[in-house]
Amino acid sequence: MEENQAMSETPPVVALAEEVQRAIAAHSTKKEASAILTRSRELGLISDWDLWMGHVTEKPFDFACLVVAVAHILPPGGSIETGVFRGGTSALLIQCATPETFHVAIDPFGLPSQSYGPTHGYELWAPMRTTIARLAALSEHNSVTFCPYVMGAREFIRADLLQHPAPFRIVHLDGEHSNEGVTEELQYFRRKLRGPAVIIIDDHDEHSPGVASALDSPAANGLVPILHRFYLYPTVERPFGFSAWLHPAAS
Ligand SMILES: C[S@@+](CC[C@H](N)C(=O)[O-])C[C@H]1O[C@@H](n2cnc3c(N)ncnc32)[C@H](O)[C@@H]1O
């Protein structure tokens, strides 16, 4: 009897992933997701999925449903993001974080650790300043402590800067998409997590093969799939995608 009670208090990781899947599909989740997405856009905090080739897919809405569902199902916590750009995904994460937790946002913008060429505008300082100021104001409003780190994820990891005194329940990897970069991020952030957490992997598609390689490596051992979605753009043959995984609590 006691054993049964203990099992029902700590659901196995697969059951927890299924709970998140059910929550994603709930009408109330969609309503909340729509509201936080609208608020983000009103604040000018835009995802690169909104800006990409002038074609808007369902991806930002699907991402919003996922983070709302996680906030309802997982224990309290904040979030970590590598790759911030114009703040569209950070804004959704901040709105779903538990008050008095942290949102850690890592991006080198125009510093030498920028992994992309100057075709995307990721390196521009004027929009970066605006983004950081808007994210700080949104975090202040939601009682979340916003911690921007203007550096590459590898520098952050080497300096072991994740020392925040509150739990994290979402990690969004959307910075460098190489096999080595994503592997290093998975290893480091997973080692630091204590409770169950959802790891969201952006650009998990044929355009960024390093991402899939990292997910095939031991760095991803024990992750339970929640979703893997794909989105087509009119002028690109192969779809772009993202996936989400449940990381079990440390035993
Ligand atoms: C795809 S965009 C992020 C988009 C954002 N998450 C969204 O959905 O709107 C990629 C970002 O990764 C950042 N980046 C580039 N190199 C990086 C690195 N080494 N570590 C972390 N972020 C990096 C870029 O500056 C850029 O802002």
Side-chain angles (χ1 to χ4, degrees):
M1 179 64 183
E2 275 177 18
E3 200 179 312
N4 284 345
Q5 269 176 349
M7 279 175 69
S8 63
E9 279 162 20
T10 315
V13 62
V14 174
L16 197 54
E18 286 168 359
E19 251 190 275
V20 175
Q21 287 167 341
R22 280 193 294 276
I24 290 169
H27 176 69
S28 55
T29 300
K30 292 182 180 170
K31 216 170 141 196
E32 219 179 305
S34 187
I36 62 168
L37 194 54
T38 300
R39 174 121 179 88
S40 304
R41 288 171 174 161
E42 279 169 0
L43 294 171
L45 292 162
I46 305 295
S47 172
D48 73 340
W49 288 76
D50 288 321
L51 299 173
W52 189 240
M53 293 187 277
H55 177 76
V56 180
T57 68
E58 282 294 290
K59 197 267 183 171
F61 179 68
D62 290 347
F63 185 99
C65 288
L66 170 65
V67 295
V68 166
V70 172
H72 285 296
I73 303 298
L74 263 58
S79 43
I80 300 163
E81 177 168 81
T82 62
V84 178
F85 190 39
R86 300 289 180 266
T89 43
S90 263
L92 300 172
L93 292 166
I94 289 164
Q95 290 180 84
C96 288
T98 310
E100 301 308 329
T101 62
F102 296 87
H103 177 67
V104 168
I106 305 162
D107 197 310
F109 296 100
L111 295 182
S113 45
Q114 174 59 246
S115 351
Y116 300 85
T119 49
H120 304 272
Y122 294 156
E123 74 289 355
L124 301 175
W125 292 110
M128 171 274 191
R129 285 196 297 277
T130 308
T131 299
I132 296 295
R134 287 173 179 168
L135 290 174
L138 178 63
S139 301
E140 166 66 8
H141 182 264
N142 284 35
S143 304
V144 172
T145 304
F146 175 52
C147 297
Y149 291 83
V150 183
M151 58 176 64
R154 291 185 198 221
E155 283 75 49
F156 182 94
I157 292 168
R158 297 230 167 88
D160 189 16
L161 295 180
L162 197 71
Q163 305 286 346
H164 304 70
F168 291 97
R169 66 179 169 198
I170 302 185
V171 180
H172 179 214
L173 303 185
D174 195 12
E176 182 184 339
H177 292 320
S178 70
N179 176 17
E180 297 74 21
V182 178
T183 300
E184 220 176 291
E185 290 176 22
L186 281 173
Q187 285 167 337
Y188 178 73
F189 292 121
R190 293 191 71 197
R191 195 165 68 243
K192 289 285 185 173
L193 295 168
R194 289 291 157 259
V198 168
I199 303 194
I200 307 174
I201 313 274
D202 229 295
D203 295 271
H204 183 186
D205 51 44
E206 288 182 46
H207 298 275
S208 304
V211 172
S213 307
L215 284 165
D216 282 338
S217 80
N221 280 355
L223 291 180
V224 175
I226 295 173
L227 59 79
H228 193 181
R229 301 255 169 98
F230 290 96
Y231 307 88
L232 266 173
Y233 284 83
T235 53
V236 182
E237 202 179 308
R238 291 166 301 157
F240 291 87
F242 84 111
S243 62
W245 307 78
L246 191 69
H247 163 88
S251 48

